[in-house]
Amino acid sequence: MEKNIMVSNGQNESTTQGWEPRIIAFFCNWCTYTAADLAGVSRLRYAPNARIIRVMCSGRIDPQFILDAFAKGADGVLVGGCHPGDCHYMEGNYKALRRMQLLKRMLKDMGIEAKRFRLEWISASEGERVKTVMNEMTESLRALGPLGLPKKFEEWDREIGILEEEVLGKEEAVHA
Amino acid sequence: MQLPIPQTVRADEPTHKIEKMKNVVRRIKFESELDLEFGERIADKAYGQRLLSCIQCGTCSATCPLAHYMDYTPRKIIAMTREGFKEEVLNSLTIWLCASCYSCTVQCPRQIHITDVMYTLKREAILMGFYPRRLPIPVLAREFYKRVLKDGRNTESWLLISLYLRTNPFKMLRESVLGFKLFVRGRLTIGKERVKGRDQLHSILKHEKGGNTI
Amino acid sequence: MKYLYFPGCSLRSTGRAYEESLLAVLKALEIPIEELDDWNCCGATSYASIDETDAFALAARNLALAELQSPDETVNLIAPCSACFLVLMKTERYLEDYPDVSKKINTTLDKVGLHYHGRVDVRHPLDVFVNDYGLENIAKRVKHPLKGLKVASYYGCQVVRPFKTFDHSHYPVTMDRLVQALGGEPVDWPLKTRCCGGSLTGTIQEAGLRLNRLLLKEAEKRGADIMLTCCPLCQHNLECYQQRINRIYEEEIDLPIAFFTQLMGVALGLSEKELGMQRLFKKPSLSHITHPKGAVVNAW
Amino acid sequence: MHGNGDNGSIRIGFYICHCGHNIGSVVDVHAVAEYVKTLHGVVLSQEYKYMCSDPGQELIQKDIQEQSLNRIIVASCSPLLHEHTFRSAVEKGGLNPYFFQMVNIRENVSWVHTDMQAATQKAKDLSRAAVQRVFHHKALETKHVKIHPDVLIVGGGIAGIHAALTLANAGKKVYLVEKDPTIGGHMAMFDKTFPTLDCAACILTPKMSQVKNHPNITLWTYSEVVKVEGYVGSYTIGVRRKPRYVNEALCVGCMDCIDKCIYKEGKTPDEFNAGLNKRKPIYIPFPQATPQLVVIDPKTCIEFKSGHCKKTCVDACDRKAIDFKQKEEIKEISVGTIILATGYQIFDAKRIPFYGYGKYPNVYTSLEVERLVNASGPTGGELILRDGQHPKTVGIIHCVGSRDKNTNRWCSRTCCMYSLKLAHLLKEHTDAEVYNFYIDIRAAGKSYEEFYDKLLDENVHFVRGRVAEVTDWAVRPSEEGKLIIRAEDTLIGVVRRVPVDMVVLAVGMEPQADAQDIRRLFNISCSTEGFFLERHPKLAPVDTFTDGIFIAGACQGPKDIPDSVAQAGAAAAQALTLIDTGEIELEPNTVFVVQEECSGCRTCLTMCPYNAISRDEVKQKAIINEALCKGCGTCVAACPSGALKQNLFEDEMIFSEIDGLLTMEQEACC
């Protein structure tokens, strides 16, 4: 399973054109980031598509971060925190959960597929889990294809520009 | 490497045992004689995943009700499969003696689905035509397969008859008494059980075929 | 909710008594059932040794048919024969565990207008009687309590292994509890689930017979008057080969082997004919139970 | 205040580490260094073999001064490992340590990826993100907290005892809390100890009494920690002292009350003797119990159940120590550091029905046998089975509840050796034939292998094979009335049926039943098996992820006595280092309020689990109590006006990181 992934990666990256999903991962310092370290120490191999940003607690993760990541061209965002009840700061992860639930709905309305955003509870001991999640997410994003919000934005801007001109044109006509 | 066959299995051939004793059995294995991918191949099949994690504890053999009739205990079969002793494994009686009671599967501390591995090996053996000739079990399996392929249901009387015809007709005489007893109690039917939607069934099985294994 | 019923090939020949008694008892307990239309062989153990996907496709057809036939959210499909019970259940799990295979099998099913959605729940009659219908309800209907009858319950392998659906994989008690509810005395013996050798009695008799010999001897040693089975093949092996075992190994085993449904029927007051008692090689002497007043033994 | 780079331009120094081959073999370090050179603000970008080495650190210091760098980035291993190292290097260089940023390209890149191109690309992205991040870094003051010199030790087994004595002898005040009425733990129950075969009691009881009499140790048995507040250096601990119904100050442990109890015979299974005999409702766990105090078990005592007891015990006590009115009390203490030595529990053999524990009377657990062969045990050391027989053949089954995915996956490490020990003792006591059924013999300790040799010479049978079943099903006359052990002799390759009189189950070690609660209470982590998780498997084996809390003994994983003692010593030493340093540095990652932006909406107040945020009703603004703030930043994410900011994790920093990670660069390959 994971072997295949590595292989496919290998090909995709060695060939300059092959598109690769880009994932931004926000990990809490105490559980998930530590688990990622453990994965490293245990030399587990996983897909190289995610870039990890460390925060002290999943409670620190502002939904804006995630939206920003998508807006700037991430194809998927992964949030990792301690298991419910295990938060280093007692209940930060619950707060995170509440926010992310809301965010999920929002993303849905924005037409961003559910699979592009993932919230995972991974404890410090679950290096294996980091590996599976990274691989699963990469795979599912490969299946979904690029999100490419930045491009979409440009198009929208252009369309709006055209609209404006039309409107202005009409108004001028009216004034005349 | 010659295959030592427990005499219990060939009770109907008394001479056999003596010959075996005269034979000198060569007990050395050269790496070049092994099929090193065999283990992984088997592990890739359904429910074979954990095969390679065997620690050779022997729980399977100890819990197996048929282990004492096997030429290799189930544990050995796993070890040999892993190490690529393909011929020995596929020629062994062990895989055919497995009555799939799943005792080993349930007790294995590594949660290896041993019974399913045995199935995989049986299929491998038939595919490669490796299984011991005149050993009734594969024949039974094959006859059963054909019968169901044909009628969609199995009729035990006919199954047994065809089995004995193909293995040991004399045995049929021995069984006929029992057969009669069953018959008078209405427990053996002469009329064959059949499925109505046979064509449907056949098309299903045809579609399934990746080349018929028989 | 209605139960669907998958008889399986054996219950149409060697295991006829099983079917007859089962249906009689279900009727007596007013448990509604309906036979699965045009069911086909489950594939059994032999089939899987020839071709795996075929074996599963074969079983899958039955599951698909069951879904067609029943409107229920989860279709309760009763399979009395251990082999059928296991193979059908295994197919169900297998199609879950291996989505790609299930896709493959379903595409072929689709071609003949069938599809399996995973709604079927394969059930064993024991499970249905004890856990759905309930022991106390059964006890209420007992007419002839099996007073003082020492019963060794033999489950065989495939009802409890490898899937622990309703009891422990090596030390089950469901049948024993049922016997108790019927007023009988369950015999606690260690070989409840030890394999009878299945088809080995027909292929490699030496092995097959020895296994059965061990079971029979131990049951007798523990003082059993009768042994109950819930599988046609086990019953066949244990009963029909007793004479041969005695001859070959110089034993004097003399133990009636009945289907648990038959004894249920007796306790519920059904006639021996309804329960197919006449099909047994050695019919258990239960006159003291059916005619408690020590009246004349019914003749047949 | 160190020099900070806010005034004037940003001058970034970037260093990337080969870490020998660890990074260099997967990431094209040179390419990354070259690439970073091209980024805005970077004055210097260079690679080095080992950045964490002294020369590596001096390199940074030198450059800071010579090139007047005001931002430092090191791309190497995980910040959890070396962030501190480099920060202090930066500080030595005369720059505020918080102008430093670390990039993890080992644990997160080179160790988890194989494709060089992809790995290098990832390393570049991460470095670019760091470069953009440091623009927003600020000079910060490191927080220091005083370390309270007192220590709390939870668990009075051999590990707890050893740690307590070590610290107490170093002149530190120690609170030792034990949930049972006596200290001693499992070791007190053992007969002899492997491989030296010296008696457990002889070496343990002296230490126990030392604990009792040590001026620096406050011993609270029959007590449990119920509250843990605060942080490293100043924890506030609540301890519940269960009522003994015996006045500790008055009782001298003469046990007259026990003899006079209206129960002539014991009624309840004796915990200390593994339930092999019965004890009275008023009892003392065992003769050398420490402290020497009787306990009344309210669950079985008539007075508590009916209230109509003659109370013969009260009359028997001339010191009037018995007090049925006694209530539980909650003690509150302040400590600076904590050592958890809560030990293990043995595997419940009933979970493997195949071995017939609880069904066949002559099947015993190893712990029961320890008591059975012990001179002070229920049979006075004479080996009498539950059915009154003396065993002539004994089967010891290894790995019961170990190395088994159906129960516990791990190896319990001690079973092989104690099985050998028991084999020796059983032979010694009964001269019986002893069979060991094992999967592998693991005798990897000092003079353990030699002990194994000794057993082989004593002609103990070793059958390599995991037992499938223990049954009373006899197939041969010789097996009648015996327990038959069925296993494959894997070395010979045949299945064997061994009839025995006695079966000993070498049960494995498990996390305590309440390990999860304790973990939550003290806010530390557990490994997948449920044992307490150490900070680093090799380099920080007794530290936890919570500063000031250390672990020792079998609560961290299966361990024998020597290892537990060694670990206890280590934990004590770690605590001592903290205490003697007197204070500890804390991350200054606390939250502050930008007054003019705060609308006083109260959103943040509900967010903080530490009540660190209050509201100035006059100014109508939020106020942060720095001392209470732990720096999780949950409030920051919630603040609608963005008035709350977290040091080291300000929104700008994270946004710039995101931006850095995602901005495509020309020569990028994907």
PDB file of all heavy atoms in Angstrom, chain A residues 13 16 22 30 37 45-46 50-51 60 88 99, chain D residues 78 111 113 118 122 125 523 545 634 649 651 662:
ATOM      1  N   GLU A  13       7.411  12.933  -9.142  1.00  0.00           N
ATOM      2  CA  GLU A  13       8.314  14.067  -8.938  1.00  0.00           C
ATOM      3  C   GLU A  13       9.466  14.070  -9.923  1.00  0.00           C
ATOM      4  O   GLU A  13       9.900  15.106 -10.381  1.00  0.00           O
ATOM      5  CB  GLU A  13       8.850  14.072  -7.502  1.00  0.00           C
ATOM      6  CG  GLU A  13       7.916  14.818  -6.574  1.00  0.00           C
ATOM      7  CD  GLU A  13       7.476  13.934  -5.429  1.00  0.00           C
ATOM      8  OE1 GLU A  13       8.196  12.971  -5.137  1.00  0.00           O
ATOM      9  OE2 GLU A  13       6.405  14.183  -4.859  1.00  0.00           O
ATOM     10  N   THR A  16       8.986  16.200 -14.415  1.00  0.00           N
ATOM     11  CA  THR A  16       8.714  17.575 -13.960  1.00  0.00           C
ATOM     12  C   THR A  16       7.247  17.963 -14.080  1.00  0.00           C
ATOM     13  O   THR A  16       6.746  18.731 -13.284  1.00  0.00           O
ATOM     14  CB  THR A  16       9.560  18.576 -14.784  1.00  0.00           C
ATOM     15  OG1 THR A  16       9.550  18.114 -16.124  1.00  0.00           O
ATOM     16  CG2 THR A  16      10.965  18.663 -14.262  1.00  0.00           C
ATOM     17  N   ARG A  22      -0.593  19.496  -2.795  1.00  0.00           N
ATOM     18  CA  ARG A  22       0.167  20.192  -1.739  1.00  0.00           C
ATOM     19  C   ARG A  22      -0.720  20.320  -0.506  1.00  0.00           C
ATOM     20  O   ARG A  22      -1.830  20.844  -0.574  1.00  0.00           O
ATOM     21  CB  ARG A  22       0.612  21.562  -2.234  1.00  0.00           C
ATOM     22  CG  ARG A  22       1.417  21.448  -3.545  1.00  0.00           C
ATOM     23  CD  ARG A  22       2.286  22.652  -3.786  1.00  0.00           C
ATOM     24  NE  ARG A  22       1.503  23.886  -3.939  1.00  0.00           N
ATOM     25  CZ  ARG A  22       2.061  25.103  -3.890  1.00  0.00           C
ATOM     26  NH1 ARG A  22       3.355  25.234  -3.655  1.00  0.00           N
ATOM     27  NH2 ARG A  22       1.309  26.170  -4.060  1.00  0.00           N
ATOM     28  N   TRP A  30       2.237  19.043  21.352  1.00  0.00           N
ATOM     29  CA  TRP A  30       2.377  18.006  22.382  1.00  0.00           C
ATOM     30  C   TRP A  30       2.037  16.619  21.893  1.00  0.00           C
ATOM     31  O   TRP A  30       2.661  15.653  22.295  1.00  0.00           O
ATOM     32  CB  TRP A  30       1.539  18.370  23.595  1.00  0.00           C
ATOM     33  CG  TRP A  30       1.942  19.692  24.131  1.00  0.00           C
ATOM     34  CD1 TRP A  30       1.306  20.877  23.932  1.00  0.00           C
ATOM     35  CD2 TRP A  30       3.106  19.992  24.884  1.00  0.00           C
ATOM     36  NE1 TRP A  30       1.995  21.886  24.526  1.00  0.00           N
ATOM     37  CE2 TRP A  30       3.106  21.377  25.128  1.00  0.00           C
ATOM     38  CE3 TRP A  30       4.158  19.219  25.399  1.00  0.00           C
ATOM     39  CZ2 TRP A  30       4.109  22.003  25.856  1.00  0.00           C
ATOM     40  CZ3 TRP A  30       5.148  19.838  26.129  1.00  0.00           C
ATOM     41  CH2 TRP A  30       5.119  21.214  26.341  1.00  0.00           C
ATOM     42  N   ASP A  37       7.402  13.421  14.893  1.00  0.00           N
ATOM     43  CA  ASP A  37       8.810  13.160  15.234  1.00  0.00           C
ATOM     44  C   ASP A  37       9.039  11.667  15.421  1.00  0.00           C
ATOM     45  O   ASP A  37       9.990  11.097  14.895  1.00  0.00           O
ATOM     46  CB  ASP A  37       9.195  13.900  16.522  1.00  0.00           C
ATOM     47  CG  ASP A  37       9.678  15.324  16.227  1.00  0.00           C
ATOM     48  OD1 ASP A  37       9.565  15.727  15.045  1.00  0.00           O
ATOM     49  OD2 ASP A  37      10.135  16.007  17.161  1.00  0.00           O
ATOM     50  N   ARG A  45       8.061   5.523   6.345  1.00  0.00           N
ATOM     51  CA  ARG A  45       8.082   6.275   5.089  1.00  0.00           C
ATOM     52  C   ARG A  45       6.677   6.721   4.733  1.00  0.00           C
ATOM     53  O   ARG A  45       5.763   5.906   4.744  1.00  0.00           O
ATOM     54  CB  ARG A  45       8.635   5.384   3.960  1.00  0.00           C
ATOM     55  CG  ARG A  45       9.997   4.775   4.264  1.00  0.00           C
ATOM     56  CD  ARG A  45      11.064   5.832   4.352  1.00  0.00           C
ATOM     57  NE  ARG A  45      12.378   5.245   4.665  1.00  0.00           N
ATOM     58  CZ  ARG A  45      13.420   5.998   5.029  1.00  0.00           C
ATOM     59  NH1 ARG A  45      13.286   7.312   5.167  1.00  0.00           N
ATOM     60  NH2 ARG A  45      14.581   5.425   5.276  1.00  0.00           N
ATOM     61  N   TYR A  46       6.501   7.994   4.442  1.00  0.00           N
ATOM     62  CA  TYR A  46       5.187   8.442   3.958  1.00  0.00           C
ATOM     63  C   TYR A  46       5.334   9.504   2.873  1.00  0.00           C
ATOM     64  O   TYR A  46       6.412  10.039   2.642  1.00  0.00           O
ATOM     65  CB  TYR A  46       4.301   8.912   5.107  1.00  0.00           C
ATOM     66  CG  TYR A  46       4.852  10.022   5.980  1.00  0.00           C
ATOM     67  CD1 TYR A  46       4.837  11.342   5.539  1.00  0.00           C
ATOM     68  CD2 TYR A  46       5.340   9.757   7.247  1.00  0.00           C
ATOM     69  CE1 TYR A  46       5.311  12.361   6.341  1.00  0.00           C
ATOM     70  CE2 TYR A  46       5.820  10.766   8.069  1.00  0.00           C
ATOM     71  CZ  TYR A  46       5.805  12.075   7.605  1.00  0.00           C
ATOM     72  OH  TYR A  46       6.269  13.078   8.409  1.00  0.00           O
ATOM     73  N   ALA A  50       3.010  16.813   2.402  1.00  0.00           N
ATOM     74  CA  ALA A  50       2.531  17.724   3.449  1.00  0.00           C
ATOM     75  C   ALA A  50       3.663  18.584   3.993  1.00  0.00           C
ATOM     76  O   ALA A  50       4.811  18.147   4.056  1.00  0.00           O
ATOM     77  CB  ALA A  50       1.901  16.927   4.575  1.00  0.00           C
ATOM     78  N   ARG A  51       3.325  19.814   4.339  1.00  0.00           N
ATOM     79  CA  ARG A  51       4.264  20.725   5.000  1.00  0.00           C
ATOM     80  C   ARG A  51       3.684  21.036   6.366  1.00  0.00           C
ATOM     81  O   ARG A  51       2.561  21.532   6.460  1.00  0.00           O
ATOM     82  CB  ARG A  51       4.411  22.019   4.185  1.00  0.00           C
ATOM     83  CG  ARG A  51       4.704  21.793   2.705  1.00  0.00           C
ATOM     84  CD  ARG A  51       6.162  21.474   2.468  1.00  0.00           C
ATOM     85  NE  ARG A  51       6.471  21.342   1.048  1.00  0.00           N
ATOM     86  CZ  ARG A  51       6.527  20.179   0.407  1.00  0.00           C
ATOM     87  NH1 ARG A  51       6.257  19.062   1.056  1.00  0.00           N
ATOM     88  NH2 ARG A  51       6.847  20.135  -0.877  1.00  0.00           N
ATOM     89  N   ARG A  60      -5.161  26.781  19.089  1.00  0.00           N
ATOM     90  CA  ARG A  60      -4.593  28.029  18.553  1.00  0.00           C
ATOM     91  C   ARG A  60      -4.949  28.215  17.076  1.00  0.00           C
ATOM     92  O   ARG A  60      -4.832  29.312  16.530  1.00  0.00           O
ATOM     93  CB  ARG A  60      -3.060  28.015  18.719  1.00  0.00           C
ATOM     94  CG  ARG A  60      -2.310  29.162  18.048  1.00  0.00           C
ATOM     95  CD  ARG A  60      -2.619  30.485  18.710  1.00  0.00           C
ATOM     96  NE  ARG A  60      -1.959  31.617  18.041  1.00  0.00           N
ATOM     97  CZ  ARG A  60      -2.533  32.339  17.083  1.00  0.00           C
ATOM     98  NH1 ARG A  60      -3.744  32.013  16.649  1.00  0.00           N
ATOM     99  NH2 ARG A  60      -1.900  33.370  16.554  1.00  0.00           N
ATOM    100  N   HIS A  88      -3.080  18.849  26.249  1.00  0.00           N
ATOM    101  CA  HIS A  88      -2.071  19.327  27.182  1.00  0.00           C
ATOM    102  C   HIS A  88      -2.577  20.565  27.919  1.00  0.00           C
ATOM    103  O   HIS A  88      -2.143  20.862  29.019  1.00  0.00           O
ATOM    104  CB  HIS A  88      -0.792  19.644  26.417  1.00  0.00           C
ATOM    105  CG  HIS A  88       0.372  19.985  27.292  1.00  0.00           C
ATOM    106  ND1 HIS A  88       1.142  19.019  27.910  1.00  0.00           N
ATOM    107  CD2 HIS A  88       0.886  21.170  27.681  1.00  0.00           C
ATOM    108  CE1 HIS A  88       2.092  19.608  28.616  1.00  0.00           C
ATOM    109  NE2 HIS A  88       1.951  20.912  28.496  1.00  0.00           N
ATOM    110  N   ARG A  99     -14.727  24.704  16.350  1.00  0.00           N
ATOM    111  CA  ARG A  99     -14.457  25.612  15.231  1.00  0.00           C
ATOM    112  C   ARG A  99     -14.429  24.856  13.918  1.00  0.00           C
ATOM    113  O   ARG A  99     -15.041  25.267  12.929  1.00  0.00           O
ATOM    114  CB  ARG A  99     -13.111  26.298  15.435  1.00  0.00           C
ATOM    115  CG  ARG A  99     -13.152  27.325  16.532  1.00  0.00           C
ATOM    116  CD  ARG A  99     -11.789  27.959  16.732  1.00  0.00           C
ATOM    117  NE  ARG A  99     -11.766  28.655  18.017  1.00  0.00           N
ATOM    118  CZ  ARG A  99     -10.755  28.598  18.860  1.00  0.00           C
ATOM    119  NH1 ARG A  99      -9.688  27.873  18.555  1.00  0.00           N
ATOM    120  NH2 ARG A  99     -10.799  29.242  20.009  1.00  0.00           N
TER     121      ARG A  99
ATOM    122  N   SER D  78      14.512  18.142  14.851  1.00  0.00           N
ATOM    123  CA  SER D  78      13.269  18.657  15.416  1.00  0.00           C
ATOM    124  C   SER D  78      13.530  19.701  16.492  1.00  0.00           C
ATOM    125  O   SER D  78      14.419  19.524  17.325  1.00  0.00           O
ATOM    126  CB  SER D  78      12.471  17.506  16.034  1.00  0.00           C
ATOM    127  OG  SER D  78      11.443  18.027  16.852  1.00  0.00           O
ATOM    128  N   TRP D 111      14.137  11.604   7.231  1.00  0.00           N
ATOM    129  CA  TRP D 111      13.903  10.283   7.840  1.00  0.00           C
ATOM    130  C   TRP D 111      12.604   9.638   7.378  1.00  0.00           C
ATOM    131  O   TRP D 111      12.353   8.467   7.615  1.00  0.00           O
ATOM    132  CB  TRP D 111      13.920  10.392   9.366  1.00  0.00           C
ATOM    133  CG  TRP D 111      15.310  10.352   9.942  1.00  0.00           C
ATOM    134  CD1 TRP D 111      16.461  10.133   9.251  1.00  0.00           C
ATOM    135  CD2 TRP D 111      15.679  10.521  11.302  1.00  0.00           C
ATOM    136  NE1 TRP D 111      17.532  10.167  10.102  1.00  0.00           N
ATOM    137  CE2 TRP D 111      17.085  10.395  11.375  1.00  0.00           C
ATOM    138  CE3 TRP D 111      14.962  10.757  12.481  1.00  0.00           C
ATOM    139  CZ2 TRP D 111      17.787  10.504  12.570  1.00  0.00           C
ATOM    140  CZ3 TRP D 111      15.670  10.874  13.679  1.00  0.00           C
ATOM    141  CH2 TRP D 111      17.073  10.747  13.719  1.00  0.00           C
ATOM    142  N   HIS D 113      11.191  10.349   4.100  1.00  0.00           N
ATOM    143  CA  HIS D 113      11.057  10.314   2.640  1.00  0.00           C
ATOM    144  C   HIS D 113      12.260   9.639   2.008  1.00  0.00           C
ATOM    145  O   HIS D 113      13.341   9.594   2.594  1.00  0.00           O
ATOM    146  CB  HIS D 113      10.906  11.722   2.092  1.00  0.00           C
ATOM    147  CG  HIS D 113       9.780  12.479   2.720  1.00  0.00           C
ATOM    148  ND1 HIS D 113       8.597  11.874   3.061  1.00  0.00           N
ATOM    149  CD2 HIS D 113       9.669  13.778   3.104  1.00  0.00           C
ATOM    150  CE1 HIS D 113       7.793  12.774   3.613  1.00  0.00           C
ATOM    151  NE2 HIS D 113       8.429  13.927   3.668  1.00  0.00           N
ATOM    152  N   ALA D 118      11.888  15.149  -4.190  1.00  0.00           N
ATOM    153  CA  ALA D 118      10.735  15.588  -3.394  1.00  0.00           C
ATOM    154  C   ALA D 118      11.206  16.109  -2.044  1.00  0.00           C
ATOM    155  O   ALA D 118      10.763  17.166  -1.582  1.00  0.00           O
ATOM    156  CB  ALA D 118       9.769  14.429  -3.199  1.00  0.00           C
ATOM    157  N   LYS D 122      10.796  19.822  -0.461  1.00  0.00           N
ATOM    158  CA  LYS D 122      10.115  20.067   0.818  1.00  0.00           C
ATOM    159  C   LYS D 122      11.011  20.906   1.730  1.00  0.00           C
ATOM    160  O   LYS D 122      10.571  21.875   2.339  1.00  0.00           O
ATOM    161  CB  LYS D 122       9.754  18.729   1.476  1.00  0.00           C
ATOM    162  CG  LYS D 122       8.914  18.859   2.743  1.00  0.00           C
ATOM    163  CD  LYS D 122       8.424  17.494   3.212  1.00  0.00           C
ATOM    164  CE  LYS D 122       7.654  17.594   4.516  1.00  0.00           C
ATOM    165  NZ  LYS D 122       7.161  16.273   4.987  1.00  0.00           N
ATOM    166  N   ASP D 125      10.915  24.501   0.664  1.00  0.00           N
ATOM    167  CA  ASP D 125       9.655  25.153   1.059  1.00  0.00           C
ATOM    168  C   ASP D 125       9.692  25.518   2.531  1.00  0.00           C
ATOM    169  O   ASP D 125       9.421  26.653   2.921  1.00  0.00           O
ATOM    170  CB  ASP D 125       8.469  24.216   0.785  1.00  0.00           C
ATOM    171  CG  ASP D 125       8.266  23.983  -0.702  1.00  0.00           C
ATOM    172  OD1 ASP D 125       8.944  24.690  -1.489  1.00  0.00           O
ATOM    173  OD2 ASP D 125       7.476  23.108  -1.076  1.00  0.00           O
ATOM    174  N   ASN D 523      -1.597  15.029  33.577  1.00  0.00           N
ATOM    175  CA  ASN D 523      -1.425  15.626  32.258  1.00  0.00           C
ATOM    176  C   ASN D 523      -0.141  15.153  31.570  1.00  0.00           C
ATOM    177  O   ASN D 523       0.682  15.947  31.119  1.00  0.00           O
ATOM    178  CB  ASN D 523      -1.429  17.160  32.393  1.00  0.00           C
ATOM    179  CG  ASN D 523      -1.567  17.821  31.042  1.00  0.00           C
ATOM    180  OD1 ASN D 523      -1.585  17.146  30.012  1.00  0.00           O
ATOM    181  ND2 ASN D 523      -1.640  19.131  31.046  1.00  0.00           N
ATOM    182  N   PHE D 545       6.516  14.565  28.873  1.00  0.00           N
ATOM    183  CA  PHE D 545       6.354  15.785  28.088  1.00  0.00           C
ATOM    184  C   PHE D 545       5.885  16.946  28.950  1.00  0.00           C
ATOM    185  O   PHE D 545       5.785  18.066  28.490  1.00  0.00           O
ATOM    186  CB  PHE D 545       5.389  15.553  26.927  1.00  0.00           C
ATOM    187  CG  PHE D 545       6.018  14.765  25.825  1.00  0.00           C
ATOM    188  CD1 PHE D 545       5.783  13.406  25.698  1.00  0.00           C
ATOM    189  CD2 PHE D 545       6.877  15.382  24.931  1.00  0.00           C
ATOM    190  CE1 PHE D 545       6.379  12.681  24.690  1.00  0.00           C
ATOM    191  CE2 PHE D 545       7.480  14.654  23.919  1.00  0.00           C
ATOM    192  CZ  PHE D 545       7.241  13.299  23.796  1.00  0.00           C
ATOM    193  N   THR D 634      -5.550  29.390  22.659  1.00  0.00           N
ATOM    194  CA  THR D 634      -6.940  29.125  22.271  1.00  0.00           C
ATOM    195  C   THR D 634      -7.751  30.416  22.228  1.00  0.00           C
ATOM    196  O   THR D 634      -8.575  30.614  21.342  1.00  0.00           O
ATOM    197  CB  THR D 634      -7.574  28.150  23.278  1.00  0.00           C
ATOM    198  OG1 THR D 634      -6.749  26.999  23.384  1.00  0.00           O
ATOM    199  CG2 THR D 634      -8.961  27.735  22.824  1.00  0.00           C
ATOM    200  N   PHE D 649       3.890  32.997  18.415  1.00  0.00           N
ATOM    201  CA  PHE D 649       2.899  32.444  17.487  1.00  0.00           C
ATOM    202  C   PHE D 649       1.889  33.505  17.065  1.00  0.00           C
ATOM    203  O   PHE D 649       0.687  33.272  17.060  1.00  0.00           O
ATOM    204  CB  PHE D 649       2.195  31.238  18.124  1.00  0.00           C
ATOM    205  CG  PHE D 649       3.109  30.075  18.330  1.00  0.00           C
ATOM    206  CD1 PHE D 649       3.753  29.896  19.543  1.00  0.00           C
ATOM    207  CD2 PHE D 649       3.355  29.178  17.304  1.00  0.00           C
ATOM    208  CE1 PHE D 649       4.620  28.836  19.737  1.00  0.00           C
ATOM    209  CE2 PHE D 649       4.209  28.116  17.495  1.00  0.00           C
ATOM    210  CZ  PHE D 649       4.855  27.936  18.719  1.00  0.00           C
ATOM    211  N   ASP D 651      -0.326  35.895  14.684  1.00  0.00           N
ATOM    212  CA  ASP D 651      -0.975  35.598  13.403  1.00  0.00           C
ATOM    213  C   ASP D 651      -0.030  35.886  12.234  1.00  0.00           C
ATOM    214  O   ASP D 651       0.149  35.044  11.343  1.00  0.00           O
ATOM    215  CB  ASP D 651      -2.245  36.442  13.251  1.00  0.00           C
ATOM    216  CG  ASP D 651      -3.350  35.913  14.160  1.00  0.00           C
ATOM    217  OD1 ASP D 651      -3.099  34.889  14.819  1.00  0.00           O
ATOM    218  OD2 ASP D 651      -4.423  36.526  14.204  1.00  0.00           O
ATOM    219  N   LEU D 662       3.688  28.092   0.408  1.00  0.00           N
ATOM    220  CA  LEU D 662       2.887  27.893  -0.798  1.00  0.00           C
ATOM    221  C   LEU D 662       3.333  28.726  -1.999  1.00  0.00           C
ATOM    222  O   LEU D 662       2.955  28.427  -3.126  1.00  0.00           O
ATOM    223  CB  LEU D 662       1.414  28.167  -0.490  1.00  0.00           C
ATOM    224  CG  LEU D 662       0.767  27.115   0.407  1.00  0.00           C
ATOM    225  CD1 LEU D 662      -0.568  27.587   0.928  1.00  0.00           C
ATOM    226  CD2 LEU D 662       0.626  25.791  -0.336  1.00  0.00           C
TER     227      LEU D 662
END
